[in-house]
């Protein structure tokens, strides 16, 4: 099994007047789902508590870059090209 962790970033969405970005971390059958700007992992399967803590530190440390990437995502274009 690969140790490579892939990160997927959603486009920025607005929920209840608040902007947010959803993140998914994938490693084989393991996954973790996080949210910004809170910088927390809401759900995880297969990642240890220590790994979840590292993922949360990663998204908090890189919050600005991740939010910028999410602003550049065009969901309609991605859907049409998918």
């Amino acid at each position: 099994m690969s140790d490579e962790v892939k990160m997927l970033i959603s486009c920025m969405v607005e929920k209840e007047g608040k902007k947010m970005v959803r993140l998914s971390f994938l490693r084989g059958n393991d996954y973790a789902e996080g949210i910004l700007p809170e910088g927390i992992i809401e759900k995880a399967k297969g990642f240890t508590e220590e790994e979840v803590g590292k993922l949360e530190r990663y998204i908090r440390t890189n919050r600005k870059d991740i939010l910028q990437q999410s602003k550049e995502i065009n969901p309609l274009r991605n859907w049409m090209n998918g």
Side-chain angles (χ1 to χ4, degrees), residues 63-80:
R63 174 182 286 140
K64 188 188 251 184
D65 292 334
I66 294 169
L67 290 172
Q68 183 59 43
Q69 286 180 47
S70 74
K71 290 177 186 176
E72 296 169 5
I73 296 171
N74 181 330
L76 185 57
R77 186 182 68 221
N78 292 345
W79 178 74
M80 296 292 282

Side-chain angles (χ1 to χ4, degrees), residues 30-80:
D30 303 339
Y31 69 88
E33 297 175 1
I35 189 169
L36 278 176
E38 288 84 350
I40 58 170
I41 298 295
E42 295 182 307
K43 188 176 6 174
K45 178 180 171 276
F47 285 93
T48 66
E49 258 186 67
E50 181 183 355
E51 290 172 323
V52 168
K54 287 179 180 179
L55 291 173
E56 287 182 335
R57 279 191 297 283
Y58 175 82
I59 60 178
R60 288 177 187 144
T61 301
N62 295 284
R63 174 182 286 140
K64 188 188 251 184
D65 292 334
I66 294 169
L67 290 172
Q68 183 59 43
Q69 286 180 47
S70 74
K71 290 177 186 176
E72 296 169 5
I73 296 171
N74 181 330
L76 185 57
R77 186 182 68 221
N78 292 345
W79 178 74
M80 296 292 282

